[in-house]
Amino acid sequence: MQWGTLMHAVMERFYRAIQAGVEFELAPVIVQLERELWQDPVYGHASPWELELNLGLVELMAEEYIEYYYSEDAKRDWWAIERPFEATLGPIIQRGKPDIIEHAADGYWLWDTKTKGYYSPEQTKTLLPRDLQLMSYRRGIEQTAHIVIVGVVYNIIRQPQQRKKIAEPIKTFLERVRKDVHMNPADYFIRLRYKITPRTGAIMEESLLALAAEYNNWWQRGTPAVENHQSCFMYGDKRCPFLEACYHGNYATLMHGELFSELSDATTPGGKKQAEVKAK
């Protein structure tokens, strides 16, 4: 989690700099992120060793990423970076903040940065029609910005999977990782562009409206239908981890001691606010 959060923070600042036409300086960003991490109530509890390692990995990966893509990305028209929206989705309110929206010659493209270590081309190809986050982003942006999203770009930054040896200094380990990334950048930095076909768009719309209706029914009555639009089971026969909460009303497995402030009135059905979905 820390790795992905840090990398997204660096990417946001990098693309904002390109959008503004100013030079991007990575070192001050890393210093700022380190300061923010120590003050963060969640990540600040990590050990100094863990923070140093993660910041070092993010810094080297960002440097290699920028070297690999800068000449290409400097020519793109970045229409929006982390642009928030609030839209209606059937009977509920939907909020979100997509990573990037590019204005290309053939229309607007929605970018989503992925930072997981494992990458499967086969799974990624089938992801789009089932990608609830991007489906909701596309719909919300089109509704509020009055543009048409013609496709999505999965901007994959793979987390290095090398393991630090017990007696290996962090600096030595980072140099070893950097060498591999520099020699094999295409293994770590992958971009997949997918056009949204009319059929995929129709599937997205139907799925989102069905989920919104189910969510609203649960919010109003607390007892949704057992069938949750085929969302109760994920990845074959694996049981959805949220089923206990959404159907049985048991939140024990989802509580971690701290609640996002924007959800403070939405802990139980019948709360003060209208039902809201925060997409990110």
Side-chain angles (χ1 to χ4, degrees):
M1 184 65 176
Q2 189 182 98
W3 149 264
T5 301
L6 289 170
M7 185 56 71
H8 273 86
V10 172
M11 291 296 103
E12 177 185 354
R13 290 162 171 81
F14 170 60
Y15 284 105
R16 285 194 186 280
I18 291 183
Q19 186 186 44
V22 299
E23 184 179 355
F24 176 72
E25 296 184 20
L26 180 60
V29 172
I30 296 298
V31 172
Q32 180 184 356
L33 289 176
E34 182 177 16
R35 187 182 303 115
E36 292 175 0
L37 277 174
W38 282 113
Q39 299 171 352
D40 189 280
V42 177
Y43 301 127
H45 295 297
S47 66
W49 176 88
E50 184 180 0
L51 291 176
E52 180 185 355
L53 180 61
N54 276 322
L55 282 168
L57 283 172
V58 167
E59 184 173 17
L60 80 84
M61 288 297 289
E63 288 174 348
E64 295 296 330
Y65 176 96
I66 292 169
E67 180 180 342
Y68 190 62
Y69 282 130
Y70 183 80
S71 60
E72 175 185 334
D73 286 352
K75 301 173 185 177
R76 298 184 187 275
D77 180 3
W78 303 110
W79 184 77
I81 312 294
E82 297 276 349
R83 182 185 194 273
F85 67 84
E86 179 174 306
T88 57
L89 178 58
I92 69 175
I93 295 172
Q94 172 208 355
R95 291 174 179 167
K97 191 168 66 171
D99 291 342
I100 301 174
I101 300 174
E102 175 198 3
H103 188 194
D106 57 347
Y108 294 90
W109 287 75
L110 186 61
W111 284 55
D112 188 42
T113 298
K114 303 289 187 184
T115 55
K116 294 184 177 180
Y118 175 73
Y119 160 70
S120 168
E122 292 75 20
Q123 287 185 6
T124 307
K125 287 178 182 178
T126 64
L127 177 62
L128 182 56
R130 300 179 290 109
D131 194 327
L132 178 61
Q133 177 174 309
L134 283 189
M135 286 194 294
S136 64
Y137 283 174
R138 169 184 176 260
R139 194 180 191 280
I141 287 293
E142 288 189 339
Q143 185 182 118
T144 58
H146 308 293
I147 62 174
V148 176
I149 302 295
V150 299
V152 302
V153 178
Y154 286 110
N155 185 38
I156 301 168
I157 305 175
R158 293 184 61 191
Q159 181 177 8
Q161 296 299 290
Q162 294 91 333
R163 291 292 178 263
K164 178 182 171 299
K165 300 173 185 177
I166 295 177
E168 186 178 24
I170 291 179
K171 183 178 180 180
T172 304
F173 169 69
L174 294 175
E175 289 173 352
R176 178 160 59 88
V177 173
R178 181 188 294 276
K179 181 178 179 181
D180 188 63
V181 176
H182 193 74
M183 292 178 61
N184 306 286
D187 291 342
Y188 291 90
F189 308 125
I190 304 151
R191 286 179 177 172
L192 304 173
R193 298 180 76 94
Y194 293 120
K195 278 274 192 178
I196 299 176
T197 64
R199 181 174 181 275
T200 298
I203 292 174
M204 289 178 171
E205 182 75 5
E206 180 184 358
S207 299
L208 280 173
L209 290 175
L211 287 171
E214 290 175 3
Y215 181 86
N216 190 58
N217 287 339
W218 165 77
W219 183 262
Q220 297 296 333
R221 297 196 295 268
T223 54
V226 175
E227 265 194 358
N228 190 13
H229 201 64
Q230 299 181 349
S231 298
C232 290
F233 293 89
M234 305 160 61
Y235 311 113
D237 59 354
K238 184 178 179 182
R239 193 167 184 264
C240 174
F242 300 101
L243 185 58
E244 280 294 318
C246 78
Y247 183 65
H248 299 289
N250 176 18
Y251 296 86
T253 58
L254 301 179
M255 293 300 182
H256 298 284
E258 187 168 335
L259 189 68
F260 291 107
S261 59
E262 61 266 33
L263 301 179
S264 59
D265 291 330
T267 54
T268 58
K272 297 178 183 178
K273 292 185 179 179
Q274 180 182 359
E276 298 180 350
V277 170
K278 189 171 187 303
K280 186 176 180 181

